[in-house]
Amino acid sequence: MAKITFLGAARCVTGSRYLVEADGTRVLVDCGMHQERPHRERDWEPFPVRPDSIQAVLLTHAHLDHSGLLPKLVREGFHGPIYCTAATREIVQIILLDAASLQEEDAEFKKDRHRREGRNGAHPEIPLYTQFDARACFPQLTAVDYGQPVALGPNAEAAFFDAGHTLGSAMVRLKVRDGGEERTIVFSGDMGRPGKSILRDPTVFGQADYVIIESTYGDRLHEPEAQTVSKLAEAINWTARAGGNILIPSFALERSQEVLFYLNRLLMQNAIPHLAVFLDSPMAISITELFEQHPEMLDEETRGLIRAGRSPFDFGGLHLVRTVDESKAINHIAGTVIIIAGSGMCTGGRIKHHLVTNIARPTSSVLFVGYQASGTLGREIVNGSPEVRILGQDYPVRARIVQFTGFSGHADQKQLLDWLGHIEKGPRGVFVTHGEESAAEHFAGLLAEKTGWKVSVPEYGDAAELK
Ligand code: ZN
């Protein structure tokens, strides 16, 4: 009997990792890092199964909460292929090297602090993995085209389909045979939003025996794109009048390119003043270049613009900031500037230094354009915390805080339901994952009520037989 085990993104949004076993074949779908506080410890635990007993990894996309434990998996003995799309293969290398160097810095920082505090050896002072470990897994990254079937052994076959969530993102259809029975399992991965700019729409499926569906926004509807863009213009204009700076904490992959895309559009419409814009993230800069190198993966409009040499991710007044010195120099500029920097949830990176300079200024604003997981500095700020701790010091929050949900790269409740509605004969089971507990539960309840299907919200470590 084929079996699935939920090794992450179970009643939380990070740490996506699912093990499928059928007739001796073991396949892992995603191998992500937990980024929410109480669950982060899990990343340090040994793998629940021996890594050398897994035949292949299917990687839906490059985001760290889906890919971040690959270097550890390989270091601990996994030597099979890691299948993903060509764009994901390029992006994930940038993301894993960055993650590894942050792990290394973090470990050094902790070691220093523990030494000062006389707590030598307090856990964890070693990085979860190093840049060396990250590089060691690159040769196993194996590119496949959308729709191309990949044999994973005598009894398992996979194919990737456009998920419309990030450049190169995929949904995975896995066919397994066990005891003479075939089962089709569809993993939504992170599902994008139909009709959204830049990327193509998510693929729909007419048949599936089992579905593993994300539920990040399973309890909410997004505001329409036009409303989000006018809210962005309003926030920028307000801050320009007040004379402060505009900080946009942003993920290097996808959200940074979207912000550039919309800023470009607003500038062309003369809806915002021509301020200097700093993309203060070497990683976001490299990934933006990949968008321009892979127009075939983008929607028709964006593809056309890039092929005509008018990249929507570039405009007059945009400065690409690569070095730390250049980044620091931004703080000395008088007058309003727009700073886009990582990390998206303010858990690390250059955004922290810009927050230190701006968070206590009532004339500045911080625009949150991405999801803020619980237990992160970003979440604390959007929740209205009057004071926050950044780099070991407390600061009052006086800047204007604006939260946007309309930029989300995830389908909302209605879009998730519509996507499932394409499956003609009801699936044998639906597992709702990748959502905070309340969102996942709410979505599961709604889906079961509307369809009468068997819907469940697995716990971390739960296993289910795919009967
Ligand atoms: Zn994602």
Side-chain angles (χ1 to χ4, degrees):
M1 186 79 63
K3 192 173 108 178
I4 182 167
T5 310
F6 298 90
L7 299 174
R11 295 173 181 256
C12 64
V13 288
T14 61
S16 282
R17 193 168 54 158
Y18 312 108
L19 180 72
V20 178
E21 294 165 278
D23 201 18
T25 302
R26 276 187 167 158
V27 178
L28 199 61
V29 178
D30 285 340
C31 189
M33 212 178 232
H34 277 95
Q35 289 163 306
E36 296 142 291
R37 216 163 267 143
H39 306 312
R40 267 147 82 164
E41 286 296 306
R42 286 176 191 161
D43 295 348
W44 294 84
E45 293 166 6
F47 268 80
V49 294
R50 279 181 50 182
D52 65 356
S53 71
I54 298 168
Q55 272 78 27
V57 174
L58 308 172
L59 176 63
T60 61
H61 65 290
H63 278 148
L64 213 53
D65 63 317
H66 294 257
S67 68
L69 288 189
L70 286 170
K72 183 169 177 272
L73 185 74
V74 168
R75 192 185 58 208
E76 291 177 10
F78 170 69
H79 45 70
I82 302 163
Y83 292 109
C84 58
T85 65
T88 295
R89 186 178 62 177
E90 290 174 62
I91 299 166
V92 79
Q93 299 185 33
I94 298 173
I95 286 190
L96 290 177
L97 278 177
D98 179 74
S101 82
L102 287 177
Q103 298 283 344
E104 289 172 10
E105 277 170 30
D106 229 40
E108 276 310 307
F109 182 78
K110 279 191 181 125
K111 208 185 281 178
D112 279 353
R113 200 177 64 197
H114 291 163
R115 200 176 298 135
R116 278 198 311 274
E117 294 169 356
R119 299 192 295 145
N120 283 352
H123 167 84
E125 279 185 357
I126 47 156
L128 185 57
Y129 52 82
T130 62
Q131 295 180 68
F132 178 85
D133 298 325
R135 280 201 181 85
C137 79
F138 296 168
Q140 282 160 259
L141 293 165
T142 308
V144 291
D145 289 334
Y146 286 130
Q148 178 196 333
V150 188
L152 305 171
N155 290 308
E157 183 191 284
F160 290 72
F161 299 89
D162 204 336
H165 166 71
T166 61
L167 184 72
S169 68
M171 296 176 168
V172 168
R173 186 180 64 200
L174 183 59
K175 290 185 178 179
V176 294
R177 274 172 298 276
D178 199 336
E181 301 251 21
E182 187 178 273
R183 294 285 176 263
T184 303
I185 312 156
V186 171
F187 293 84
S188 73
D190 285 5
M191 194 195 303
R193 296 163 61 187
K196 196 159 179 258
S197 297
I198 306 175
L199 297 173
R200 288 191 298 241
D201 288 353
T203 309
V204 293
F205 296 83
Q207 192 268 332
D209 294 311
Y210 289 92
V211 179
I212 290 80
I213 188 165
E214 69 125 313
S215 59
T216 317
Y217 290 99
D219 58 349
R220 268 167 287 175
L221 297 175
H222 293 317
E223 59 191 17
E225 189 178 34
Q227 200 177 319
T228 304
V229 179
S230 62
K231 194 167 147 186
L232 176 65
E234 188 279 327
I236 292 170
N237 288 320
W238 180 91
T239 319
R241 280 193 303 273
N245 292 320
I246 298 148
L247 305 191
I248 309 183
S250 186
F251 300 99
L253 169 55
E254 205 62 38
R255 198 52 37 83
S256 294
Q257 293 77 35
E258 274 173 54
V259 169
L260 295 176
F261 179 94
Y262 291 114
L263 289 177
N264 187 18
R265 184 187 281 182
L266 290 171
L267 285 167
M268 285 199 294
Q269 294 166 346
N270 269 320
I272 54 170
H274 285 252
L275 303 168
V277 178
F278 295 90
L279 181 58
D280 187 10
S281 159
M283 181 159 63
I285 295 167
S286 305
I287 292 174
T288 306
E289 287 164 0
L290 289 177
F291 271 65
E292 290 163 344
Q293 287 160 18
H294 284 282
E296 78 284 356
M297 293 212 157
L298 304 173
D299 71 7
E300 214 173 312
E301 183 199 350
T302 314
R303 190 163 62 218
L305 287 169
I306 291 173
R307 290 199 170 136
R310 294 186 291 130
S311 168
F313 311 114
D314 193 11
F315 44 84
L318 174 64
H319 304 270
L320 305 179
V321 184
R322 292 178 201 270
T323 69
V324 174
D325 286 341
E326 287 172 299
S327 173
K328 285 182 180 155
I330 302 172
N331 294 330
H332 302 300
I333 299 171
T336 301
V337 297
I338 300 176
I339 305 164
I340 306 163
S343 71
M345 297 192 267
C346 308
T347 49
R350 293 180 182 178
I351 194 67
K352 285 198 160 182
H353 298 278
H354 297 303
L355 283 169
V356 163
T357 320
N358 287 283
I359 194 97
R361 287 178 69 186
T363 51
S364 286
S365 58
V366 188
L367 314 187
F368 285 93
V369 294
Y371 187 83
Q372 305 300 313
S374 70
T376 61
L377 174 59
R379 178 71 160 252
E380 233 182 290
I381 299 173
V382 298
N383 277 354
S385 191
E387 198 178 73
V388 289
R389 197 168 180 82
I390 309 168
L391 300 170
Q393 272 206 48
D394 293 325
Y395 296 88
V397 179
R398 295 205 194 97
R400 187 178 183 221
I401 308 301
V402 188
Q403 196 183 9
F404 297 78
T405 60
F407 285 110
S408 171
H410 294 268
D412 69 8
Q413 183 188 73
K414 181 176 179 304
Q415 292 163 332
L416 291 168
L417 287 172
D418 288 351
W419 183 79
L420 285 163
H422 286 88
I423 301 170
E424 278 157 26
K425 207 166 111 296
R428 293 164 188 264
V430 177
F431 300 100
V432 179
T433 61
H434 199 293
E436 282 180 14
E437 191 146 34
S438 57
E441 289 273 19
H442 180 90
F443 183 74
L446 185 72
L447 180 65
E449 187 190 299
K450 275 183 181 289
T451 59
W453 297 348
K454 198 163 166 261
V455 185
S456 59
V457 184
E459 301 268 357
Y460 180 70
D462 274 0
E465 287 190 336
L466 305 175
K467 289 185 192 136

